[in-house]
Amino acid sequence: MDDAAGLFELTGLRREPVDLLEPKRQDKNLPKLIGMHKRRLERMEWECLQARDAWRELRVEVRTVKQEWRDAQQHARDFWADARAEFFRMEISSGKFRTAKGAYERKKLEAEQVHIRAREAAQWARQAGQAYFLLKQQVRAGHLRSEKLDILQKILHEKNNPPE
């Protein structure tokens, strides 16, 4: 062996290292990114479900308040129709008729207050619906990004681990 080392020194030849492919270290960043993305996507899906439930509850409330408004309007109309009928049949005096007219005006105002509540409830439901559909759109975009990341991970895995 000493002769071989001496021979390289005398001739000026150097021993070159053999080029071997070193196994590439797996990059841990992409799996971490995919994991983080999936957790965020699960959170967004949960928030989307919560937004949908809130929107549905507000829609039920809108239906309830609108029905209260219709009932209040009908009650005021019925009250006024009864008062007029009694007056024209001469069953009540003009003083009682004026009192009934004042009560009718108050019932109309109450119905108008219920209508205002119904419009506010409809506005809240509309906003909740817009928030829900925006979240739903973001969840869909998140699923597309997730698919892209999965495809990228598969391509990188095939590139780093070619079939032998």
Side-chain angles (χ1 to χ4, degrees):
M1 288 237 186
D2 293 327
D3 294 332
L7 179 65
F8 285 115
E9 289 175 8
L10 291 176
T11 58
L13 295 174
R14 299 178 111 189
R15 196 183 273 183
E16 292 187 24
V18 178
D19 289 334
L20 292 177
L21 289 176
E22 293 183 20
K24 290 185 179 179
R25 260 189 24 212
Q26 286 289 336
D27 187 12
K28 307 270 188 202
N29 291 331
L30 188 60
K32 284 181 184 177
L33 177 68
I34 290 173
M36 181 185 67
H37 189 270
K38 287 189 180 187
R39 284 190 300 277
R40 283 184 180 171
L41 191 57
E42 288 171 359
R43 175 70 182 185
M44 277 197 318
E45 287 172 344
W46 181 81
E47 288 174 359
C48 187
L49 290 175
Q50 297 299 315
R52 185 185 67 187
D53 292 342
W55 178 47
R56 286 180 176 174
E57 288 173 10
L58 286 172
R59 285 177 29 216
V60 167
E61 183 181 336
V62 167
R63 273 187 237 115
T64 304
V65 175
K66 281 174 79 173
Q67 189 58 46
E68 287 176 16
W69 170 54
R70 289 183 188 120
D71 293 343
Q73 276 186 320
Q74 190 60 44
H75 179 68
R77 277 191 223 110
D78 293 344
F79 179 80
W80 181 239
D82 291 343
R84 286 185 65 201
E86 287 176 356
F87 180 72
F88 288 127
R89 285 188 307 235
M90 294 186 185
E91 293 176 0
I92 60 172
S93 66
S94 62
K96 287 185 180 180
F97 181 70
R98 273 188 239 106
T99 306
K101 186 174 182 179
Y104 168 67
E105 294 298 326
R106 283 191 300 278
K107 289 179 186 293
K108 273 185 17 182
L109 289 175
E110 288 172 6
E112 191 60 35
Q113 292 299 320
V114 175
H115 184 236
I116 290 170
R117 278 194 2 238
R119 291 181 68 154
E120 288 174 353
Q123 176 96 18
W124 294 332
R126 200 173 298 115
Q127 289 173 352
Q130 289 171 347
Y132 163 66
F133 285 110
L134 180 64
L135 278 170
K136 190 174 180 179
Q137 187 178 17
Q138 289 175 349
V139 167
R140 283 185 184 145
H143 281 291
L144 286 175
R145 283 192 304 273
S146 182
E147 288 177 18
K148 288 178 184 177
L149 286 173
D150 288 342
I151 291 170
L152 178 64
Q153 184 180 28
K154 182 180 176 185
I155 290 171
L156 288 175
H157 179 73
E158 288 173 358
K159 186 177 182 182
N160 290 336
N161 301 320
E164 293 179 14

